[in-house]
Amino acid sequence: MEIKFNQLTLQNFKSHKDLVVKFGDMTKILADNAKGKSSIGEAITFLLYGTDLVGSKLDPSPVTYQAENTLVTLHLCVEDGELLLGREIVKGRNKFYVNEVPSKATDFNDAVEKLFDKDLFLSLFNPSYFFTLHWEKQRQMILKYTTAPANKEVLKELPKPQSDKLATLVKKHSLEDLDKIHRSNKTKLDKQYIAAQSRTKTLREQLEQNAPTVPLDSLNVELKQLVKERNAIETVTYKAQETNGRINRLHTEIQFLTTERDHIKETFNQLKNEPIQDTCRVCHQTLQNEAIDAVEAEKEQRIQQVKSKFQKVVDERKVLEEELKTLEYVDVSEQMEKARSLQEKISPIEYEISKHKQYKFLEEQVIAAEANEKETLESLNESIFILDAIKDFKAKEAELQVKKVQDLFENLSIKLFEEVKTTGDNKPTFIVQMDGKDYMKLSFSEQTRAGLEIRDVLSEQNDLIAPCFVDNAETITKFKEPNGQLIISQVVADKELEVISE
Ligand SMILES: Nc1ncnc2c1ncn2[C@@H]1O[C@H](COP(=O)(O)OP(=O)(O)OP(=O)(O)O)[C@@H](O)[C@H]1O
Ligand SMILES: [Mg+2]
């Protein structure tokens, strides 16, 4: 889009009581000092924004003469038509006109804002305006249309292991998220790795301290022999104890049967001496023969019963005594003592063998701890590798972006990033240099040339061609003509104001 100024009219604007300026592709404003050259440029920014050339609020009401009002109008051409804008100050109040129609401030501002962005227009119109902006705004304006290089483009420039790794990771997460993830991973794993190392160390020390002195094989051989001996003795003593126990039980049972037998014997004697009752127990009459026989038979029957009971006890006792005769009491105290002394040898060997088991368990723990340590270190290194790759990616991305931006300029060099000393990271900045010198260090004419180069880049980038006002142009012997209409003011000694349009 191209903006062209046709005609500017000033009434009571600063020292100008009544002035008409017709613009051409090249407009020269020639006059001696203090004849109102800069005021012509200011009238344009005042009309559009109520400010001077660098964007500060401006009151151009005349102070050297009486005037009813101050009025600026600008007739301009935009691609699809013409526009006549006007701003008037009456009794300290601003009035606005769009195509001669009195308008509200907001409508007027909207009409201007629709034409072009304020900072962009002022940067194009006044070559020194851009440098009055905050560096972040400057950077944003320059980068607005230079798209950051695509990931693919950056990855191509990285070493293969890095680009392969990042290419896979960025499918799932953004680089920013990856950076967050692996930063937190790294912090976590740094701690975990230290803990894992110390655990391995402790376990290794324990292992060293618990190293068995006697080999397991010889312990097992010795144990086997001793256990065999002890078991053999135990088999003998067990058997002997069984026999001894039987003997004891037989003695007890025989004793019992002897008492039983003597008791039966006593009963028998009593029964045998029992007189035959020859009188009836009820009527006390002498019993008849038959009855006496019956009593005797009954007695005899009882005697037989006792006898047979006696015989049974005697027989049982005899059987037991026969068995007792076959058994011999064995004295096992010596064997028991031997078994005990064997057990005394066995216990420490078993303890030594258990130490072997514990050692083996510790060995397994050491192996597990070493594996864990290795795994932790691998994850930690992986995170470090990714973080480094991201850092390199960012650096390369910045480098490519800087190159893209740099390619826009002929004489200026633009610094978009600076290195943070402590971390080595890139942080955004915006510094314009010419011949290795920062803008602020440049002379007036150098600053103007720098400003003209910047405004042309902005003009191209934004596809907006707008007029450019170069004030005090006599101080610059030569400069590249900017695109758009050029308005220059030059001091010419002893000259009244003259505007020459070509
Ligand atoms: N509000 C005002 N009312 C009346 N005169 C003013 C007002 N403001 C500034 N002036 C005067 O207007 C005159 C023109 O100023 P201007 O800055 O436009 O001159 P110039 O031609 O650019 O001068 P130089 O060559 O020094 O840059 C100066 O004498 C200035 O003091
Ligand atoms: Mg001036």
Side-chain angles (χ1 to χ4, degrees):
M1 185 172 94
E2 176 154 21
I3 311 259
K4 271 191 164 177
F5 295 165
N6 281 342
Q7 182 172 292
L8 175 76
T9 68
L10 307 181
Q11 275 175 33
N12 307 320
F13 185 93
K14 289 195 167 181
S15 62
H16 297 292
K17 284 190 178 155
D18 196 6
L19 178 72
V20 177
V21 179
K22 283 188 162 51
F23 296 102
D25 284 340
M26 162 73 107
T27 307
K28 282 186 181 161
I29 303 166
L30 308 170
D32 203 343
N33 286 132
K35 295 288 180 189
K37 303 182 294 297
S38 299
S39 301
I40 294 174
E42 277 176 348
I44 287 168
T45 56
F46 172 74
L47 166 85
L48 294 170
Y49 305 111
T51 69
D52 64 10
L53 285 161
V54 288
S56 303
K57 208 172 172 338
L58 177 69
D59 180 9
S61 309
V63 292
T64 49
Y65 56 94
Q66 287 294 319
E68 285 282 294
N69 69 337
T70 294
L71 176 66
V72 181
T73 70
L74 179 66
H75 182 236
L76 50 107
C77 285
V78 282
E79 224 145 43
D80 47 0
E82 296 173 22
L83 197 61
L84 180 63
L85 296 173
R87 184 189 290 250
E88 186 177 23
I89 305 173
V90 185
K91 295 196 178 107
R93 296 196 55 166
N94 279 277
K95 289 183 165 186
F96 303 92
Y97 304 93
V98 178
N99 294 325
E100 295 181 316
V101 180
S103 303
K104 282 189 203 152
T106 47
D107 292 341
F108 178 89
N109 290 337
D110 285 351
V112 173
E113 191 54 40
K114 242 199 256 163
L115 290 176
F116 32 67
D117 172 74
K118 179 181 173 186
D119 284 326
L120 177 61
F121 175 80
L122 289 175
S123 298
L124 297 186
F125 185 63
N126 171 14
S128 62
Y129 177 78
F130 179 80
F131 297 97
T132 68
L133 295 170
H134 188 272
W135 71 265
E136 279 175 349
K137 176 73 187 170
Q138 296 177 12
R139 191 175 195 275
Q140 179 219 319
M141 283 176 77
I142 290 295
L143 290 182
K144 190 170 168 200
Y145 291 98
T146 35
T147 44
N151 280 355
K152 239 168 111 184
E153 220 177 299
V154 183
L155 287 174
K156 222 167 55 194
E157 301 284 323
L158 291 181
K160 194 166 158 42
Q162 290 192 332
S163 74
D164 283 355
K165 174 63 77 187
L166 289 184
T168 331
L169 292 175
V170 290
K171 282 181 193 154
K172 230 175 137 187
H173 290 107
S174 71
L175 279 176
E176 283 67 29
D177 285 350
L178 284 171
D179 194 63
K180 278 185 208 151
I181 291 170
H182 289 282
R183 258 176 217 278
S184 106
N185 267 4
K186 188 182 169 290
T187 317
K188 200 174 69 196
L189 289 168
D190 271 336
K191 284 193 199 127
Q192 266 180 27
Y193 182 55
I194 291 168
Q197 277 180 312
S198 109
R199 176 162 167 74
T200 321
K201 189 168 169 259
T202 311
L203 283 169
R204 277 207 199 103
E205 279 165 9
Q206 279 180 15
L207 193 68
E208 233 166 77
Q209 283 157 13
N210 285 290
T213 41
V214 190
L216 184 61
D217 281 353
S218 68
L219 284 172
N220 276 334
V221 168
E222 207 179 336
L223 179 70
K224 201 174 160 195
Q225 182 55 35
L226 289 168
V227 167
K228 197 173 151 195
E229 281 174 39
R230 185 199 63 192
N231 287 353
I233 290 171
E234 272 178 358
T235 318
V236 171
T237 53
Y238 180 73
K239 232 179 159 172
Q241 277 168 335
E242 221 175 18
T243 310
N244 292 350
R246 181 66 187 154
I247 289 171
N248 288 340
R249 267 196 314 282
L250 283 172
H251 277 302
T252 314
E253 276 172 40
I254 287 168
Q255 179 66 45
F256 175 78
L257 288 174
T258 307
T259 315
E260 176 89 352
R261 184 200 62 188
D262 291 351
H263 180 71
I264 297 171
K265 205 173 179 179
E266 209 173 296
T267 313
F268 180 77
N269 285 338
Q270 275 175 10
L271 185 64
K272 216 173 156 195
N273 296 331
E274 194 182 281
I276 297 288
Q277 199 83 37
D278 55 355
T279 51
C280 173
R281 274 185 303 232
V282 184
C283 65
H284 300 290
Q285 280 189 0
T286 311
L287 293 171
Q288 297 304 305
N289 279 348
E290 261 178 39
I292 289 172
D293 287 348
V295 170
E296 279 177 346
E298 190 260 354
K299 185 182 171 182
E300 184 57 30
Q301 197 191 348
R302 273 166 42 214
I303 286 170
Q304 284 311 317
Q305 274 174 357
V306 171
K307 263 186 175 172
S308 93
K309 208 170 162 193
F310 180 83
Q311 193 56 49
K312 198 176 161 233
V313 170
V314 168
D315 288 348
E316 272 179 37
R317 189 170 171 274
K318 202 168 176 190
V319 170
L320 295 182
E321 270 181 337
E322 284 305 313
E323 190 189 342
L324 189 59
K325 266 186 224 160
T326 63
L327 299 175
E328 206 177 332
Y329 191 83
V330 195
D331 183 4
V332 288
S333 55
E334 204 176 308
Q335 269 92 338
M336 297 276 273
E337 185 50 41
K338 238 182 182 170
R340 207 173 13 257
S341 89
L342 280 170
Q343 189 56 45
E344 267 171 25
K345 286 182 193 162
I346 287 170
S347 295
I349 294 172
E350 280 175 340
Y351 175 68
E352 276 301 318
I353 290 173
S354 82
K355 267 169 75 177
H356 271 279
K357 281 189 189 138
Q358 202 197 341
Y359 185 77
K360 194 150 187 284
F361 177 66
L362 266 173
E363 255 180 347
E364 280 161 12
Q365 280 189 313
V366 167
I367 290 167
E370 281 170 348
N372 176 50
E373 185 185 319
K374 188 167 168 257
E375 211 176 289
T376 311
L377 180 63
E378 276 165 8
S379 312
L380 176 62
N381 284 339
E382 168 86 351
S383 278
I384 292 172
F385 178 78
I386 292 167
L387 287 173
D388 285 347
I390 292 171
K391 203 165 161 185
D392 289 353
F393 180 97
K394 292 276 169 209
K396 185 53 81 181
E397 186 184 42
E399 195 185 305
L400 290 175
Q401 193 170 17
V402 166
K403 192 179 173 320
K404 265 184 160 186
V405 169
Q406 195 52 61
D407 285 350
L408 301 171
F409 293 91
E410 202 175 310
N411 301 305
L412 301 183
S413 65
I414 309 291
K415 210 168 153 192
L416 292 175
F417 296 97
E418 69 185 339
E419 201 185 291
V420 181
K421 288 265 154 53
T422 45
T423 62
D425 286 341
N426 274 328
K427 90 168 188 220
T429 187
F430 191 81
I431 297 165
V432 177
Q433 291 183 328
M434 196 159 78
D435 305 327
K437 292 165 284 189
D438 285 6
Y439 177 82
M440 290 308 288
K441 297 230 155 63
L442 299 177
S443 75
F444 178 79
S445 65
E446 285 175 321
Q447 284 189 343
T448 307
R449 274 206 295 275
L452 286 170
E453 190 166 336
I454 288 271
R455 62 89 61 202
D456 269 11
V457 167
L458 287 174
S459 169
E460 270 158 40
Q461 294 276 96
N462 289 277
D463 195 18
L464 177 70
I465 298 172
C468 177
F469 179 64
V470 182
D471 206 1
N472 307 103
E474 75 288 343
T475 59
I476 314 165
T477 50
K478 62 173 189 289
F479 59 87
K480 187 174 164 264
E481 265 192 31
N483 62 24
Q485 289 171 296
L486 177 60
I487 306 160
I488 59 173
S489 93
Q490 279 178 339
V491 174
V492 180
D494 303 323
K495 187 169 171 57
E496 286 304 311
L497 184 76
E498 187 190 2
V499 178
I500 306 168
S501 300
E502 293 162 10

